Amino acid sequence: MSLSIGMVAVIVGSVYASSPNLTEFAERDQWVSAKINGIEGQQKSPYTTGPPFSFVYDGKPSADFLSSWKVERQSINIDNNREEHKIIYTDPDTGLEIRCVAIEYSDFPTVEWTIYFRNNGSKDTPIISDIQAIDTVLERDAQGEFVLNHHDGSPCLPYDYRPHKTELKAGAEKIIATSGGRSSNSDFPYFNVELPGEGYIIVVGWAGQWSAKFSRDSSNKLGVQAGQELTHFRLHPNEEIRTPLIVMQFWKGDRIDSQNTWRKWMIKHNLPNPPTHQLAACSSHQYAEMINANEDNQKMFVDRYLEEGVKLDYWWMDAGWYINETGWPNTGTWEIDTKRFPNGLKAITDHAHSKGVNIIVWFEPERVTSGTWLYENHPEWLLGMTLLDLGNPDARQWLTDHVDKLIKEQGIDLYRNDFNMDPLGFWRKNDAEDRQGITEIRYVEGFLEYWDELRRRNPGMLIDTCASGGRRNDLETLRRSVPLLRSDYIFEPVSQQCHTYGIAQWIPFYGTGVIRTDSYTFRSNMCPHTTACWDMRNKDIDYDSIRKLVNQWRQIGHYYIGDFYPLTPYSLENDVWMAWQFNRPDIGEGMIQAFRRADSFYES
């Protein structure tokens, strides 16, 4: 869904370096050395020394034969902070090539990798199945227990991003997967495996259907497997596919400190085009959709915010600006409705730009409804006559060219991409028995290529990932975009406190909406990106309070890029306090937010 009225505020401050424990780097280097170089015979290693992935080939597990394949290793420096390692396995009989491309970070105890399968043979490969992009074993000392820290995704509920702790005792098994094909639809693909005094952050970057399994044996070992949920296919000659991205970060000491090392790594190496100043924006004035928006009232809203002394950096035009007859969900004709916008969106963007305000425009290109241009003119591009197949090169090329043209001609500064459907059933119905998983792979590859090309053609342009409010927030997606609306469950203060408590541990940049003018509700909704949804046609709103609260939010905004510390337990109950701290050790400053819930007995 979309959030269609109000002010959007984005804050990203200066990036600063991390200084993790040196033992974390030693552990990372030992692991990389074991995996890439295949070091054997160590007296004691907390890792298996084989490849960090696995698969089944022609009915046989890769552990049984991969060591007999031809192996080639390469390493190059990408920059001062990153070294790329490649390990390439080739089957001499069928020509199947497995390429593991790993990146080792010198400034963080972090390594990431992606696996590529390529058929260099002259005929189809045997069946490749059960690909695990990570398949490794973690070992602990006899004392203590494995604890899996994991979170809910964002299914539009009060408990979106809720944290969980699962103790993995001997014989325990925990399987976690997203649902419906959107990467954070039900569960979050970010995990922290905690041991006494140390642990491992493990993250799956896949804008599709992933699954992870944590299996504890009867001794002191924990098996970790994760990847695309279903893979069972042949590769045609010269065909290549990729797996999900996997990231591992090693830590010693305190788990919350490890989450802050992760936040710093996210800011420094992943956040796309971070602005160096605070940004604010406001959206269309229609509470449900933009179907009644037009050139005059869009200009009026920009002017009204500025008239009330609320500085805007962006004006947000949400769903419904395109030609449609039944409302904003009728998507698939990506042309401006000239009945309401006779001069296009350009008249509004020019007006906004003249006042120092940029423009956000909402798109939902992947979902197609009957009667629209795509539905009528290119049914061959649609899966189930509903999902635009981004794995189809012709469909992707048309979409890229068409959206890029709109961005340039209409003066759009930020591209907002929503996605209000589950694609998994459409992907799987399109697969033959011996090609299961291929449609999903091609779609995910195409989705990432689409965004990469938009960014290449529009340098510096931010992309907002929405997907019904936070349901596609995997790492690959967040390397290209920012979630301006972390959940479609908005406004209510207790849930918003809990959303911040959960998401801030993993994602340093996110947004939500505000619609009230009281300080408790406003501050419960404050986060790095704040969308204020006031109807500016109403001149009786308490604008003094709005100006005061927005100015306070701007004053503390730069703390959001600091370290995040939960100060109370997580709770949705209404009789407790909830508190956290954002800390900037680089400048010796920070802030605490503490909320006394309505039924709390304690006043201080």
Side-chain angles (χ1 to χ4, degrees):
M1 272 295 292
S2 56
L3 195 155
S4 56
I5 169 169
M7 181 188 65
V8 180
V10 182
I11 310 162
V12 178
S14 59
V15 175
Y16 52 93
S18 166
S19 54
N21 191 311
L22 289 177
T23 58
E24 297 170 341
F25 289 102
E27 191 164 4
R28 184 266 330 263
D29 293 339
Q30 181 189 24
W31 191 92
V32 171
S33 182
K35 296 299 181 184
I36 301 302
N37 299 315
I39 294 174
E40 304 288 353
Q42 298 177 20
Q43 292 284 51
K44 180 175 184 289
S45 171
Y47 330 105
T48 53
T49 55
F53 61 91
S54 69
F55 61 100
V56 174
Y57 192 42
D58 200 15
K60 304 178 184 65
S62 57
D64 290 352
F65 60 79
L66 204 56
S67 61
S68 67
W69 286 14
K70 176 186 175 183
V71 182
E72 179 184 357
R73 296 180 177 88
Q74 305 169 358
S75 293
I76 60 169
N77 288 322
I78 301 174
D79 53 36
N80 291 335
N81 294 315
R82 296 178 300 164
E83 185 176 6
E84 180 184 270
H85 305 279
K86 288 183 183 177
I87 180 167
I88 304 168
Y89 301 86
T90 303
D91 178 12
D93 296 327
T94 66
L96 179 64
E97 176 187 284
I98 315 296
R99 188 171 75 255
C100 177
V101 181
I103 295 176
E104 182 182 4
Y105 290 81
S106 62
D107 54 343
F108 287 87
T110 305
V111 61
E112 66 178 67
W113 66 90
T114 308
I115 314 300
Y116 298 85
F117 287 71
R118 180 177 178 82
N119 181 8
N120 291 323
S122 59
K123 59 182 180 179
D124 287 356
T125 65
I127 292 291
I128 304 164
S129 63
D130 302 313
I131 300 172
Q132 302 298 324
I134 179 172
D135 190 342
T136 195
V137 175
L138 309 178
E139 187 174 350
R140 65 168 179 80
D141 294 330
Q143 300 300 316
E145 200 54 89
F146 290 102
V147 176
L148 176 64
N149 296 273
H150 55 106
H151 291 242
D152 290 320
S154 181
C156 188
L157 292 167
Y159 57 77
D160 287 355
Y161 305 107
R162 174 176 53 183
H164 299 275
K165 280 184 173 289
T166 300
E167 190 173 78
L168 298 170
K169 296 183 177 180
E173 180 178 273
K174 180 69 174 179
I175 298 176
I176 301 174
T178 191
S179 62
R182 290 181 291 178
S183 56
S184 50
N185 194 22
S186 56
D187 289 89
F188 221 34
Y190 301 80
F191 308 97
N192 195 330
V193 180
E194 183 179 4
L195 290 70
E198 63 179 331
Y200 310 85
I201 285 176
I202 299 171
V203 169
V204 182
W206 186 244
Q209 184 70 18
W210 57 267
S211 179
K213 182 169 72 172
F214 301 86
S215 305
R216 170 71 194 286
D217 68 4
S218 58
S219 62
N220 297 321
K221 295 180 180 180
L222 179 71
V224 179
Q225 294 180 316
Q228 183 181 349
E229 186 176 67
L230 175 63
T231 49
H232 181 93
F233 53 76
R234 304 179 190 275
L235 287 180
H236 303 319
N238 298 315
E239 186 178 21
E240 180 175 293
I241 61 95
R242 59 158 289 182
T243 69
L245 168 75
I246 299 294
V247 179
M248 283 189 72
Q249 194 167 85
F250 303 79
W251 61 270
K252 299 276 189 183
D254 181 74
R255 183 185 65 84
I256 297 301
D257 287 339
S258 78
Q259 297 291 162
N260 285 318
T261 298
W262 172 267
R263 282 173 54 88
K264 291 170 185 170
W265 180 76
M266 284 288 290
I267 291 170
K268 184 171 183 180
H269 289 293
N270 297 275
L271 192 65
N273 302 330
T276 56
H277 59 286
Q278 215 166 1
L279 301 178
C282 94
S283 78
S284 170
H285 65 275
Q286 296 301 324
Y287 279 90
E289 54 188 289
M290 267 193 60
I291 193 69
N292 295 316
N294 56 50
E295 179 180 324
D296 290 339
N297 58 34
Q298 297 299 285
K299 291 178 179 178
M300 177 272 293
F301 256 67
V302 173
D303 293 342
R304 281 285 297 127
Y305 267 96
L306 300 179
E307 178 184 309
E308 293 294 346
V310 181
K311 181 181 181 293
L312 298 184
D313 293 288
Y314 279 93
W315 174 253
W316 178 335
M317 298 187 66
D318 213 73
W321 54 266
Y322 37 87
I323 297 172
N324 60 75
E325 300 297 333
T326 60
W328 75 264
N330 194 31
T331 52
T333 302
W334 294 106
E335 301 292 346
I336 297 164
D337 184 352
T338 55
K339 294 179 182 178
R340 292 179 290 128
F341 303 98
N343 300 301
L345 303 184
K346 188 66 161 58
I348 301 163
T349 62
D350 284 348
H351 180 78
H353 291 161
S354 73
K355 298 176 181 293
V357 179
N358 291 319
I359 292 291
I360 299 171
V361 175
W362 180 100
F363 291 79
E364 193 189 353
E366 295 159 88
R367 184 174 57 84
V368 178
T369 58
S370 62
T372 59
W373 187 88
L374 280 168
Y375 186 94
E376 297 295 336
N377 289 275
H378 286 287
E380 76 278 10
W381 292 352
L382 307 182
L383 299 175
M385 294 304 293
T386 303
L387 180 66
L388 182 64
D389 185 7
L390 296 183
N392 182 313
D394 292 336
R396 186 171 64 252
Q397 186 66 56
W398 174 86
L399 179 64
T400 304
D401 293 341
H402 189 72
V403 171
D404 179 59
K405 183 180 179 182
L406 284 168
I407 289 170
K408 288 181 167 63
E409 289 184 349
Q410 303 304 319
I412 297 168
D413 302 293
L414 193 153
Y415 169 78
R416 173 170 167 80
N417 196 125
D418 210 341
F419 189 29
N420 294 303
M421 61 176 291
D422 285 342
L424 184 61
F426 297 95
W427 293 337
R428 291 188 175 175
K429 286 179 182 178
N430 195 59
D431 287 334
E433 180 64 27
D434 64 349
R435 297 279 285 175
Q436 295 177 65
I438 288 292
T439 301
E440 176 182 344
I441 292 169
R442 294 293 178 236
Y443 191 100
V444 171
E445 291 172 338
F447 161 68
L448 299 177
E449 288 173 16
Y450 167 53
W451 279 12
D452 286 342
E453 182 61 14
L454 280 186
R455 295 178 67 215
R456 186 191 69 79
R457 296 186 189 187
N458 300 276
M461 182 186 74
L462 281 171
I463 294 176
D464 166 28
T465 175
C466 184
S468 303
R471 302 194 194 202
R472 189 160 58 184
N473 281 343
D474 63 281
L475 184 58
E476 282 280 39
T477 298
L478 294 185
R479 283 182 164 176
R480 296 160 171 86
S481 63
V482 290
L484 300 189
L485 187 62
R486 63 190 178 188
S487 170
D488 266 357
Y489 198 95
I490 53 178
F491 301 140
E492 187 280 320
V494 170
S495 63
Q496 298 311 298
Q497 295 166 20
C498 290
H499 289 182
T500 295
Y501 188 103
I503 194 173
Q505 298 184 43
W506 291 106
I507 301 177
F509 185 85
Y510 48 88
T512 191
V514 293
I515 200 168
R516 299 275 298 276
T517 60
D518 65 285
S519 60
Y520 179 82
T521 305
F522 184 93
R523 291 169 182 165
S524 296
N525 285 269
M526 282 197 318
C527 47
H529 169 112
T530 298
T531 302
C533 303
W534 298 295
D535 185 350
M536 301 301 290
R537 295 168 297 182
N538 182 359
K539 295 190 176 183
D540 294 328
I541 298 174
D542 184 357
Y543 288 106
D544 286 339
S545 292
I546 290 174
R547 284 187 289 269
K548 178 182 177 181
L549 291 167
V550 170
N551 287 337
Q552 288 176 352
W553 165 78
R554 285 187 174 277
Q555 291 169 12
I556 55 87
H558 61 290
Y559 297 136
Y560 283 113
I561 65 162
D563 295 338
F564 175 77
Y565 292 96
L567 300 180
T568 63
Y570 174 95
S571 176
L572 278 163
E573 298 302 318
N574 210 33
D575 61 351
V576 301
W577 283 63
M578 177 167 275
W580 58 75
Q581 177 182 0
F582 284 96
N583 184 47
R584 288 285 303 271
D586 56 322
I587 61 174
E589 297 178 5
M591 70 168 179
I592 289 174
Q593 289 182 272
F595 300 94
R596 179 195 176 205
R597 303 263 173 88
D599 298 332
S600 173
F601 175 79
Y602 299 99
E603 294 186 0
S604 63

